[in-house]
Amino acid sequence: MTAATVIACPACGTRNRLPRAATGHPRCARCQTDLPWLVEAGDHDIDEVVFSSRTPVLLDCWAPWCGPCRSIAPLLERLAASYAGRLKVVKLNVDEAPGAAARLGVRGIPALFLVRDGEVIEQLVGARPLPELEAAVDRLLAAGH
């Protein structure tokens, strides 16, 4: 995995390097629009990317062979865009990061963990519709107020 992802700003199209871990949240270098924060993590950097994040995190434990995981992937991309500046979506491939998956107690996928201030606030297992995912993210964001 690379240390950053490149994403085009939805407002102006400028290509921005998006770090997996940062102290704030990503904004476009040109227009300062909040960017959707969708990154990957693995065994070696899950603590830095997820559990040390100041931004609330939706952690998606998935695998490429999992049909339900593939079905919710576009929904997670939508959440990253809808909650830009307020939510970080992190993808953890359980086949490539078995240590992190075991540490989290993942027994079924997709497994979604909602994390705030280094603590798991809620866990969802299985594919969920967008309204249910939005409600879970809203609860996560409200937990910090």
Side-chain angles (χ1 to χ4, degrees):
M1 284 186 271
T2 61
T5 303
V6 176
I7 185 170
C9 174
C12 71
T14 299
R15 294 175 57 81
N16 295 270
R17 290 181 58 86
L18 212 64
R20 288 187 295 183
T23 56
H25 64 271
R27 290 193 174 136
C28 177
R30 174 183 259 169
C31 72
Q32 299 301 306
T33 296
D34 288 329
L35 297 172
W37 204 357
L38 178 65
V39 295
E40 295 179 357
D43 278 339
H44 64 287
D45 64 356
I46 189 167
D47 286 324
E48 180 185 12
V49 175
V50 175
F51 294 103
S52 295
S53 177
R54 291 185 185 169
T55 302
V57 175
L58 171 58
L59 173 62
D60 173 29
C61 297
W62 71 287
W65 48 263
C66 169
C69 297
R70 289 192 315 270
S71 74
I72 67 165
L75 303 180
L76 299 178
E77 290 174 17
R78 267 178 83 178
L79 289 174
S82 297
Y83 291 90
R86 299 181 291 154
L87 179 71
K88 178 192 234 182
V89 177
V90 179
K91 310 266 299 165
L92 178 80
N93 182 331
V94 297
D95 289 341
E96 294 177 357
R103 186 173 130 202
L104 290 163
V106 175
R107 288 189 165 68
I109 55 174
L112 304 172
F113 294 86
L114 296 126
V115 180
R116 182 178 211 44
D117 299 323
E119 299 292 327
V120 175
I121 303 296
E122 187 174 346
Q123 179 182 358
L124 305 170
V125 178
R128 305 295 175 101
L130 184 60
E132 190 173 337
L133 295 174
E134 289 171 330
V137 170
D138 290 340
R139 287 190 300 274
L140 173 67
L141 297 177
H145 289 57

